[in-house]
Amino acid sequence: AQKVTQAQTEISVVEKEDVTLDCVYETRDTTYYLFWYKQPPSGELVFLIRRNSFDEQNEISGRYSWNFQKSTSSFNFTITASQVVDSAVYFCALSEADGGTSYGKLTFGQGTILTVHP
Amino acid sequence: DAGVIQSPRHEVTEMGQEVTLRCKPISGHDYLFWYRQTMMRGLELLIYFNNNVPIDDSGMPEDRFSAKMPNASFSTLKIQPSEPRDSAVYFCASSRDRVDGYTFGSGTRLTVV
């Protein structure tokens, strides 16, 4: 069964610090997709990124970057020069895609609460 | 594009009452998902539809929960009768395909007293 673990329950940083949110996943599928979502205090879930299991290239989008390593089953998310507006709950999620019963069903980690202090 | 629209945003009801949550997905999205978020259990998939047909309802907690999608632009999640343990935020999401990034609605915060 697929599983996503976000070991960091809460992280607190001061503005301009870099912060890395960890995500470790478990799956038996060879094809799968990994996601990060942001849930700001307003409550909606905002899609940030999707990666497939065959693409281990790191990705950078502005201050955000993602490091995908199949060897360690990790998909970590780094925010560079954090800002107060980055304060939110961040969820990592996994979707298996080999065609089994869990195909296409997003399984979420428990989330990491990030607080950025001014 | 107005995004995924859910109503109501907040619902407070008494135990035993029927509750209906509504969702309008993004036009052109063939998949619709209902999730529930609680502190204890996090985000759980309840049911999802493809082209208005329920594909997997294994996450529906019990018979008190039912979901329908009568057409491509509307879905409901009904709880009858409601219980205090059903208190949660219920999210609807839609996507173009099963492994695309979902677009979530703003959620319905349900409180059953």
Side-chain angles (χ1 to χ4, degrees), chain B residues 33-65:
Chain B
F33 306 82
W34 282 99
Y35 276 81
R36 178 171 69 175
Q37 184 178 31
T38 60
M39 288 294 293
M40 290 299 294
R41 301 174 67 89
L43 281 154
E44 308 172 273
L45 176 65
L46 301 177
I47 185 171
Y48 80 91
F49 295 82
N50 175 217
N51 292 324
N52 315 336
V53 177
I55 303 300
D56 188 331
D57 65 355
S58 58
M60 296 284 262
E62 47 197 276
D63 292 347
R64 298 183 297 105
F65 286 70

Side-chain angles (χ1 to χ4, degrees), chain B residues 4-13 18-24 34-35 74-79 88-92 105-111:
Chain B
V4 176
I5 299 172
Q6 289 187 247
S7 64
R9 288 296 307 274
H10 303 273
E11 177 82 32
V12 180
T13 191
E18 177 178 295
V19 175
T20 299
L21 312 181
R22 297 172 176 79
C23 175
K24 176 180 168 53
W34 282 99
Y35 276 81
F74 185 64
S75 177
T76 59
L77 178 67
K78 186 176 294 186
I79 308 172
V89 180
Y90 290 81
F91 286 101
C92 175
S106 299
T108 295
R109 182 174 295 278
L110 173 65
T111 304

Side-chain angles (χ1 to χ4, degrees), chain A residues 33 35 37 39 42-45 47 50 91 95-97 100-101 103-110, chain B residues 9 33 35 37 39-43 45 48 56 58 91 97-106:
Chain A
Y33 293 81
F35 303 79
Y37 282 84
Q39 187 173 40
S42 52
E44 72 273 24
L45 283 155
F47 168 75
R50 180 187 79 159
F91 291 95
S95 178
E96 294 179 332
T101 57
Y103 178 29
K105 293 160 66 170
L106 266 186
T107 295
F108 286 85
Q110 287 298 103
Chain B
R9 288 296 307 274
F33 306 82
Y35 276 81
Q37 184 178 31
M39 288 294 293
M40 290 299 294
R41 301 174 67 89
L43 281 154
L45 176 65
Y48 80 91
D56 188 331
S58 58
F91 286 101
D97 62 57
R98 271 195 276 197
V99 292
D100 205 359
Y102 299 178
T103 301
F104 281 83
S106 299

Side-chain angles (χ1 to χ4, degrees), chain A residues 34-55:
Chain A
L34 295 162
F35 303 79
W36 276 95
Y37 282 84
K38 173 182 179 180
Q39 187 173 40
S42 52
E44 72 273 24
L45 283 155
V46 179
F47 168 75
L48 295 178
I49 189 172
R50 180 187 79 159
R51 303 296 283 172
N52 75 57
S53 51
F54 299 107
D55 183 0

Side-chain angles (χ1 to χ4, degrees), chain A residues 77-88:
Chain A
F77 173 29
T78 297
I79 301 174
T80 303
S82 60
Q83 300 176 2
V84 172
V85 294
D86 296 327
S87 297

